[in-house]
């Protein structure tokens, strides 16, 4: 009897443990289900946000400047109109370069600010007067720079639309202590003063000029932002690696090296390298003498049956060769190394406020 009671007790304990285990398992499943549900809701919300389209207009504040997005509200705004908007610098007067356009919310830098109003004739007159005051401010600042004997080159001056701030752009070889200069300017203009040190690319963008191609500079006419360029791009495009040939007016690598880079990368990936052995479609063996990347033509020095050598032109599709990984290393002299170092040091444009 005692043995039966013991077995009965053990059975009851086992059942209780099993029930407890089942309860815990059910709780865990519920928690997992809740977590999965929360994760799905989060993903759905994220997807919904990324797919959500926002109506914006694009505004520039200087020729060939960066384009900023604003909410047009219910205003009727067309390309070429001038508008009054609020920016990080205060109230500004800008020109509309992109009319109503829908873009994904994730592409917008938040917060998206709204257009205050389409510029009136009074606003246009204020902007005109500001441009006149900028010329006067430039002359005064130039005089004060000479007075303080500062080693800096004044490039431009700019008033915000509401006259809340005057900005002076300058270049210099190193850091400049212009605290006394700022005090003098603040006493004259009775407003906030900002002196902003910019690079030589920004200087050229403001001043403009004519490139080696004979056209006005890209940065001054249409290029809103500077794209990274490198000497490797010049090599990829089979250009002379002479610094004077691949440098622009600013003394840095030409921005236009970036324009055709992707085309050259794709075209070069299909071409053999100079000196590489190839077999032609007519069964001759030879060595690559020169290539024309854009035409996809290859000049090959082939060996004929009587061991004579002859240069013949072939389309790259008429040749068989082993595709190797291209050698991207560029042999640079001191002048090229200096140019590359200056390029890396230049960084992004400092004309625009983020």
């Amino acid at each position: 009897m005692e043995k039966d009671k013991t077995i009965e007790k053990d059975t009851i304990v086992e059942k209780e443990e099993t029930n407890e285990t089942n309860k815990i398992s059910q709780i865990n499943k519920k928690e997992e289900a809740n977590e999965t549900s929360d994760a799905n809701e989060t993903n759905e919300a994220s997807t919904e946000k990324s797919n959500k389209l926002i109506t914006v207009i694009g505004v520039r504040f200087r020729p060939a400047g960066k384009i900023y997005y604003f909410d047009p509200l219910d205003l009727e705004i067309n390309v070429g109109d001038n508008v009054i908007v609020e920016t990080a610098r205060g109230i500004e007067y800008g020109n509309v370069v992109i009319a109503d356009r829908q873009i994904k919310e994730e592409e917008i830098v938040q917060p998206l600010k709204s257009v205050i109003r389409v510029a009136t004739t009074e606003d246009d007159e204020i902007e005109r007067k500001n441009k006149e005051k900028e010329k006067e401010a430039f002359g005064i600042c130039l005089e004060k720079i000479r007075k303080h004997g500062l080693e800096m080159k004044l490039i431009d001056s700019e008033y915000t639309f509401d006259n809340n701030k005057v900005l002076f752009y300058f270049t210099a070889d190193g850091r400049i202590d212009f605290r006394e200069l700022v005090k003098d300017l603040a006493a004259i203009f009775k407003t906030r003063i900002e002196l902003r040190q910019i690079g030589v690319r920004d200087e050229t963008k403001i001043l403009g000029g004519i490139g080696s191609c004979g056209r006005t500079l890209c940065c001054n006419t249409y290029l809103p932002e500077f794209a990274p360029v490198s000497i490797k791009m010049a090599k990829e495009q089979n250009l002379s690696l002479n610094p004077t040939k691949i440098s622009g007016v600013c003394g840095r690598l030409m921005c236009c090296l970036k324009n055709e880079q992707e085309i050259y990368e794709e075209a070069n990936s299909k071409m053999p390298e100079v000196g590489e052995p190839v077999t032609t479609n007519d069964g001759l063996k030879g060595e690559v003498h020169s290539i024309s990347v854009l035409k996809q033509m290859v000049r090959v020095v082939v060996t004929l049956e009587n061991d004579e050598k002859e240069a013949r032109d072939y389309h790259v599709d008429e040749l068989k060769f082993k595709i190797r990984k291209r050698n991207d290393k560029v042999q640079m002299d001191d002048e090229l190394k200096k140019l590359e170092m200056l390029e890396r040091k230049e960084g992004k444009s400092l004309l625009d406020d983020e």
Side-chain angles (χ1 to χ4, degrees):
M1 286 292 288
E2 288 180 5
K3 188 175 181 181
D4 291 340
K5 285 180 180 179
T6 305
I7 292 170
E8 193 175 328
K9 283 181 181 178
D10 291 342
T11 304
I12 291 168
V13 170
E14 285 177 6
K15 284 182 178 179
E16 287 176 352
E17 288 177 351
T18 302
N19 290 335
E20 190 66 29
T21 303
N22 289 337
K23 285 180 182 178
I24 292 170
S25 177
Q26 287 175 358
I27 291 169
N28 288 338
K29 284 180 180 178
K30 282 183 181 179
E31 289 177 351
E32 287 176 6
N34 289 336
E35 287 176 2
T36 304
S37 177
D38 291 343
N40 289 337
E41 286 176 8
T42 303
N43 290 335
E44 285 174 9
S46 177
T47 304
E48 187 179 341
K49 184 177 179 181
S50 63
N51 292 332
K52 187 178 179 182
L53 295 176
I54 305 293
T55 301
V56 298
I57 60 167
V59 178
R60 270 186 177 147
F61 300 103
R62 61 170 62 245
K66 185 177 177 179
I67 298 173
Y68 294 87
Y69 291 133
F70 292 89
D71 183 352
L73 298 176
D74 296 325
L75 299 171
E76 186 179 335
I77 301 174
N78 301 309
V79 172
D81 288 349
N82 296 315
V83 291
I84 305 300
V85 294
E86 184 185 353
T87 70
R89 297 196 309 194
I91 305 301
E92 291 280 36
Y93 178 100
N95 181 253
V96 178
V97 292
I98 300 174
D100 288 8
R101 175 185 293 181
Q102 289 193 323
I103 63 173
K104 291 182 179 179
E105 188 175 8
E106 61 185 13
E107 296 177 17
I108 298 172
V109 178
Q110 297 293 346
L112 178 65
K113 295 188 177 181
S114 304
V115 173
I116 296 174
R117 64 179 178 273
V118 176
T120 62
T121 51
E122 290 80 4
D123 293 327
D124 294 338
E125 182 62 20
I126 291 171
E127 178 67 7
R128 188 189 65 78
K129 288 180 179 178
N130 282 346
K131 292 299 178 187
E132 291 178 0
K133 290 184 347 187
E134 285 170 3
K135 294 177 184 177
E136 184 183 346
F138 186 90
I140 292 171
C141 186
L142 206 58
E143 183 184 333
K144 294 297 179 183
I145 288 171
R146 293 196 194 100
K147 176 187 171 184
H148 289 280
L150 298 173
E151 294 292 325
M152 55 192 284
K153 180 182 177 183
L154 187 63
I155 305 301
D156 197 17
S157 60
E158 184 179 353
Y159 266 91
T160 58
F161 180 75
D162 55 7
N163 282 204
N164 189 42
K165 184 194 287 187
V166 187
L167 292 97
F168 295 97
Y169 300 98
F170 72 94
T171 57
D173 290 335
R175 292 178 66 86
I176 302 292
D177 183 359
F178 47 67
R179 286 174 292 184
E180 294 302 317
L181 173 62
V182 170
K183 288 178 184 177
D184 281 1
L185 295 174
I188 294 170
F189 296 108
K190 311 294 183 186
T191 189
R192 291 169 59 201
I193 302 295
E194 181 181 337
L195 270 78
R196 186 176 296 184
Q197 187 169 356
I198 59 175
V200 290
R201 281 189 185 278
D202 285 331
E203 175 188 358
T204 308
K205 185 179 183 70
I206 292 172
L207 300 179
I210 304 296
S212 57
C213 59
R215 299 176 69 99
T216 51
L217 299 176
C218 301
C219 61
N220 182 251
T221 51
Y222 74 90
L223 203 63
E225 296 181 75
F226 297 118
V229 287
S230 66
I231 290 173
K232 176 190 164 186
M233 292 180 181
K235 183 193 175 188
E236 189 83 40
Q237 296 172 37
N238 293 323
L239 297 175
S240 167
L241 296 184
N242 183 338
T244 58
K245 298 284 187 182
I246 56 177
S247 298
V249 174
C250 59
R252 303 291 182 265
L253 290 170
M254 292 188 293
C255 295
C256 55
L257 289 174
K258 183 72 175 177
N259 294 356
E260 298 175 349
Q261 178 62 14
E262 290 182 9
I263 296 171
Y264 272 95
E265 282 179 355
E266 184 182 352
N268 276 323
S269 67
K270 302 173 185 175
M271 302 290 285
E273 292 196 22
V274 174
E276 190 172 340
V278 294
T279 303
T280 67
N281 61 345
D282 46 10
L284 297 175
K285 294 186 181 297
E287 187 176 284
V288 177
H289 177 269
S290 60
I291 60 175
S292 175
V293 179
L294 296 180
K295 291 181 180 179
Q296 294 285 280
M297 295 296 293
V298 182
R299 176 157 291 183
V300 182
V301 177
V302 296
T303 305
L304 304 177
E305 291 181 356
N306 54 3
D307 286 342
E308 288 185 1
K309 305 285 185 181
E310 184 178 306
R312 295 183 180 180
D313 293 332
Y314 294 89
H315 191 273
V316 69
D317 293 337
E318 299 173 331
L319 300 174
K320 292 181 181 178
F321 56 93
K322 189 175 180 180
I323 297 177
R324 299 185 179 90
K325 187 177 179 182
R326 290 182 63 81
N327 180 18
D328 292 330
K329 290 185 178 179
V330 182
Q331 296 295 327
M332 293 191 283
D333 57 20
D334 291 341
E335 207 170 350
L336 277 175
K337 286 178 182 176
K338 183 180 178 182
L339 184 59
E340 182 86 343
M341 185 181 70
L342 288 171
E343 189 64 41
R344 290 175 183 171
K345 187 180 176 183
E346 188 71 21
K348 65 178 183 178
S349 173
L350 296 173
L351 289 179
D352 302 302
D353 294 284
E354 295 300 328

